[in-house]
Amino acid sequence: MLRGWLQTRKSELNASTHSLNSLDEPQNSATHIMSDDLEAAEAGLGQGTSSFHKLGKGMITFLRATLGFEPEIMREASERLAAAEGQASTDHRRAQRNPHAYRSAIYPAGSEYALCHAQSQLMSAVVGVLNESLTESIKGFYKLRKAYITLDGILEAESRYMRGLGGVDHYSLGSRSVDSLRSNRSARSMKGISGGFEGARKDTRTELSSLHPYEKQKSRDHELDLAQGKDHASDDDEFYDADEAIDIPEPATYTGHVELDGVSGKLAELSVNADTQESEAPPSPKMLPIREGMLDHDPDSDVFANPIDVFIHTGANLCFGMLLIMISMIPPAFGKLLFIIGFRGDRDRGLRMLWQASKFHNINGAMAGLILLGYYNTIVGFSDILPDASSSSGDQAVQGYPKERCEALLADMRVRHPKSHLWLLEEARMNAANRRLSAAMDLLNQSSKSPLKQVEALDMFERSLDAMYMHDYTLCADSFIACVSLNNWSHALYYYIAGAAHVEQYRHYKTSSPKAAAIHAKKATELLREAPKHAGKKKFMARQLPFDIFVTRKLSKWEHRAHERNVELIDAVGVSPIEEMIYLWNGYKRMNPSQLDASLTALSWNEDTSHNPSWTRESSDERAILSVLRSVILRNLGKWDKAAEALKKGVLSIDKAELKGSHKDDWTAPAAHYEMGVICWMRRRDTTGVRENDAGKNEREANWIKECESWIEKAAKWEAYELDARIGVKIATAQDTLKKWRDGRGTS
C-alpha cells in the first residue's frame, strides 16, 4: 500500500513538474518579444510543441500582423493560432482525464490550457476582424464570444476563491455589467459557468465541459459553415448566440449610421440555435448579474506561489480586460455585429483588469502595460469629453488620463524591458499627449532603429503625425512618404497628407518666393493626384477605409473646382487640408499655445484676399470647415466665448441643406454640435470672476452639463454623414462620460 501511495505521489509530482517545465521554457523565450527580438523568441519557442510553445509562436505572428497589416503575415498568424487552439484543446482534455495533473487551489484542472485556447481564439478573432473578408470578420466576432465565455469561467473561479477567503464578491443588477444577450436556453446550457468551480468534490471533466465551451472541438469546415449561415448546431453546441427574436429597445446611446454592404443579409442568415423561436424571451440586459469583486492581490502574495496560477491569473486579466475594452470601442457603425457577440464591453472594468495584470513581471504583464499605455496615450487622446482623472487617485485611477500612474507604469516597463523600442514609442506618445511635441520628436529622432519593421513603421507614423502637429511640413511630407514603404494600411492617406503639407508650403511661398512656390505646387499636385489611385486597396470588414473615401471625394471636389474656375489644382484646394487633418486626428489637443497660434495663422491665409482672392465666392461648406477648425483652436487656448461664437456664426447659423450635396463636406454641422458640447463640458468648472458658495457652483456646473448633453444628443441623432464613424467614437465617449457624471451624483 505504501509503495502504491509513493508511486501515485511520484506520478502527481511528475505531472505537475512537467506542466510547470512546459510553461517555464516558453515564458522565458517569450520575454524576447518585449525586447523586439522576435527571432530569438522564435528560436526558443521552436524547440517545443506544447500548447504554451504554440501559443507563443502564434503571439509572435499576431504582433507582426497587427503592427504591420501585411496580408501574408495575417494569413500565417491565422494558421499558427489555429494550431495553438487545436493543441490547447488536446492538452486540456488530457489534463482533465489525468488524475495527477496539476491541481490549483484557485482554478480547475487544465485551466492553463483553457487560457491558452482562449488567448489563441482572441488573437485569431482580432486577425479575422482586421481581415478584408466579411466572412472572416464575422467568424472573428464569433471567436470573441467563445473566448469571452471561457475567460468568464476562469474569472468565476477566482471569484469563488475570493468568497472562500471571505473576499468581497457581490452580485449587482447595475447597468455597469457586461450584459449578456444570450437566450434563456443559452443561459440554461451555460449554467455551469457560474457554478462549475466547486473543488474536487465534483467531477472535473463535467465541470470543465460546461465551463470551457470549446471542449468539443469543431472542425474548421464547420466554423466556415457557421460563418456562411449554415446551421448545423445541436442542443449541445458550444455556440450560445443572441436570439434573432429578441426585441431590443431603441438605444439611448449613439449607434451610428454607417451601413455595411452585405452585412444585413449575412447576419439574417447567421443563427446557431435551431429552436430560436421556441425559446423564451431572454432577461432584460439591465437585470443580468455581474461579479463586482476581483482577485487583486499583489505578485508577492502567497496566493500566487505557483507560477501556473500566475500565468492563468495574468493571462485571464489581460485577455478579458482587453476584450472588454475592445468591445466597448467598436465603432457604432458595426452595431449589428455586437449582436452576434451577445455582450457589451465595460471599459472601466477592463482597465482595472489590465492594471492588475501589469503588476506581474511576465509576458502577460508586459502586454497589459503596453495596451494600457496605448489606450491612454492614443484612444483617450482622441476624445475630449472625459471623466476627470482626479475623480480617483493612486492605484484606483483608471478614468480620464491618470498621468502619474501612467508615468510610473512606463518607468517600470522601461526598467523591465530596456531594449524595447515599444516603450520609447509610448514615452513619445505620452509627451505628445501632454502637449510636449518637441520632447516627443526628440525621442523619436534619437532612438536607434528597431530590428522589427513593424515597430519601425509605428515610429515613422508617430513621427509623421507629430511633424504635422508641429507644422514641420517638410518632415511631415517626407515621413508620410516613408510610411508607404513600411506599412500597408492606407497609402491613399499617406500620399494625401504629404501632398497637403506641400500645399501649405506653396501658400507660404506664393508671394515671397514664386520659384519655391512652384516647386511645392508641382510636388503637391503629384502627390494629391496619386492618393486616389491607392484608395480601396485596403479594406476593413469588406468596406473601403473611411479616410480612403474621404480622400477620393476631396480630390474629386478640387478637380471639379479647378475645371469650374479654370485654375490649376493647387489653387482649387480649399481651407487648409493639413489643418483639417490635424483636427481629424485631434492634434490640437497635443499642441502648446505657440503651436496653436501657428495654426490660427495658417487658417488666416484663407480669408486674406490678397493671397486668396477666391475667398469672396467660397462655398458655405468651406467656410464651415474654417469655423470649426478655428473654434477648436480657440477652445484649446481657453477662449471659450470666442470658440462658441465661431461655431454659431460660421456653422450653426447656416441652413444644413447648404452643407450637403455632391462634393461637399457635410461633417461640419454634426461636428459643430459636438464641439459646442465640448465647450460646455470645459466651462462647467470655470469660476473666473464669479464668487459663489458651493451650492451655487454645483448648480452652475449642472446647468453647463445639461447644455452639454443637449448638444451631444443632437450630434448623436444626426443623419448619415461622411466621417460618421470617426466623429461618432467621440460622441459615444462623451455620452458614456456624461452618464458617469449623472450616476456619480445620483441624477438622471
Side-chain angles (χ1 to χ4, degrees), residues 272-284:
V272 179
N273 291 331
D275 59 348
T276 292
Q277 297 185 1
E278 296 179 8
S279 63
E280 302 173 15
S284 169

Side-chain angles (χ1 to χ4, degrees), residues 88-376:
S89 179
T90 299
D91 288 347
H92 172 252
R93 287 197 299 270
R94 186 180 295 119
Q96 287 182 286
R97 294 165 181 165
N98 183 359
H100 308 308
Y102 170 67
R103 291 294 191 270
S104 168
I106 307 173
Y107 311 101
S111 289
E112 63 268 36
Y113 302 115
L115 174 63
C116 287
H117 192 276
Q119 285 183 303
S120 300
Q121 285 185 319
L122 185 54
M123 289 186 284
S124 181
V126 173
V127 172
V129 171
L130 292 176
N131 197 291
E132 295 186 7
S133 164
L134 181 59
T135 298
E136 290 299 318
S137 297
I138 293 174
K139 286 170 63 179
F141 276 89
Y142 269 121
K143 284 183 178 289
L144 286 181
R145 179 178 178 82
K146 293 165 71 178
Y148 166 85
I149 294 171
T150 301
L151 293 167
D152 186 55
I154 293 174
L155 292 166
E156 168 66 13
E158 292 188 353
S159 181
R160 288 179 173 274
Y161 178 78
M162 288 291 287
R163 285 205 301 275
L165 295 178
V168 178
D169 178 33
H170 299 296
Y171 280 77
S172 70
L173 301 177
S175 59
R176 288 186 296 164
S177 64
V178 186
D179 298 325
S180 170
L181 297 180
R182 52 175 89 105
S183 67
N184 274 6
R185 171 182 178 271
S186 298
R188 287 193 298 270
S189 300
M190 294 300 297
K191 188 175 181 181
I193 282 190
S194 60
F197 288 103
E198 297 192 6
R201 284 187 246 176
K202 288 190 175 183
D203 180 80
T204 306
R205 286 182 59 194
T206 303
E207 290 179 20
L208 269 289
S209 174
S210 58
L211 167 66
H212 303 302
Y214 62 82
E215 186 172 13
K216 303 185 200 65
Q217 275 287 308
K218 299 296 181 285
S219 68
R220 300 178 79 177
D221 290 339
H222 177 57
E223 292 206 3
L224 181 61
D225 288 343
L226 286 169
Q228 294 174 340
K230 300 174 184 177
D231 185 1
H232 302 301
S234 62
D235 289 341
D236 62 350
D237 202 308
E238 278 73 27
F239 287 91
Y240 301 99
D241 290 297
D243 292 64
E244 299 288 347
I246 294 177
D247 182 18
I248 299 181
E250 183 177 350
T253 56
Y254 180 78
T255 56
H257 308 286
V258 179
E259 290 296 325
L260 291 172
D261 299 334
V263 169
S264 297
K266 285 182 177 289
L267 292 183
E269 300 172 6
L270 287 170
S271 175
V272 179
N273 291 331
D275 59 348
T276 292
Q277 297 185 1
E278 296 179 8
S279 63
E280 302 173 15
S284 169
K286 291 184 179 180
M287 294 302 293
L288 292 171
I290 177 178
R291 293 180 303 280
E292 292 292 335
M294 63 180 286
L295 180 57
D296 58 358
H297 291 56
D298 290 332
D300 57 357
S301 169
D302 291 340
V303 172
F304 300 119
N306 192 293
I308 296 178
D309 288 345
V310 173
F311 170 74
I312 298 171
H313 175 72
T314 56
N317 276 273
L318 164 66
C319 293
F320 204 65
M322 180 172 66
L323 182 54
L324 293 180
I325 294 173
M326 282 172 51
I327 299 303
S328 74
M329 295 190 305
I330 286 179
F334 305 120
K336 284 189 175 182
L337 290 174
L338 285 176
F339 192 68
I340 295 179
I341 303 172
F343 60 88
R344 301 175 190 169
D346 186 331
R347 197 170 302 192
D348 284 358
R349 186 185 178 199
L351 288 170
R352 289 190 182 93
M353 298 181 83
L354 288 174
W355 279 112
Q356 171 64 13
S358 71
K359 297 177 183 178
F360 294 80
H361 291 218
N362 60 10
I363 184 64
N364 291 329
M367 290 295 294
L370 190 62
I371 294 168
L372 282 168
L373 292 173
Y375 169 80
Y376 286 115

Side-chain angles (χ1 to χ4, degrees), residues 476-597:
C476 173
D478 292 346
S479 298
F480 271 111
I481 292 301
C483 286
V484 173
S485 61
L486 292 172
N487 186 283
N488 291 328
W489 184 242
S490 181
H491 288 180
L493 178 65
Y494 302 157
Y495 282 116
Y496 176 83
I497 298 180
H502 283 290
V503 168
E504 211 61 41
Q505 290 178 293
Y506 162 76
R507 291 177 174 181
H508 177 75
Y509 290 112
K510 186 177 181 181
T511 304
S512 62
S513 179
K515 186 176 180 179
I519 294 173
H520 289 295
K522 182 180 179 181
K523 288 183 178 179
T525 301
E526 291 173 352
L527 292 168
L528 290 175
R529 283 181 168 153
E530 182 70 20
K533 298 177 184 179
H534 298 268
K537 291 186 177 181
K538 180 68 182 177
K539 289 183 171 59
F540 177 71
M541 298 186 67
R543 282 184 58 85
Q544 210 172 335
L545 298 177
F547 269 130
D548 282 9
I549 298 172
F550 176 85
V551 166
T552 302
R553 181 194 59 77
K554 277 287 191 179
L555 264 294
S556 178
K557 175 182 182 178
W558 295 339
E559 294 282 12
H560 176 77
R561 283 156 60 102
H563 177 75
E564 188 179 56
R565 298 178 182 181
N566 194 29
V567 296
E568 297 295 329
L569 175 65
I570 190 70
D571 292 315
V573 174
V575 172
S576 175
I578 204 77
E579 292 296 328
E580 186 178 34
M581 272 292 134
I582 289 173
Y583 168 71
L584 293 174
W585 286 94
N586 213 1
Y588 296 130
K589 191 177 178 181
R590 292 165 170 78
M591 292 183 185
N592 62 31
S594 64
Q595 291 158 346
L596 291 167
D597 286 336

Side-chain angles (χ1 to χ4, degrees), residues 431-470:
N431 277 306
N434 288 284
R435 300 184 186 269
R436 298 192 296 265
L437 287 169
S438 295
M441 186 63 76
D442 287 343
L443 271 173
L444 293 170
N445 288 334
Q446 292 172 10
S447 63
S448 58
K449 281 189 176 182
S450 169
L452 284 180
K453 176 186 174 182
Q454 293 82 1
V455 175
E456 184 186 349
L458 288 176
D459 283 345
M460 185 60 68
F461 185 72
E462 193 67 23
R463 182 183 289 109
S464 304
L465 290 177
D466 288 350
M468 180 171 71
Y469 305 150
M470 296 173 68

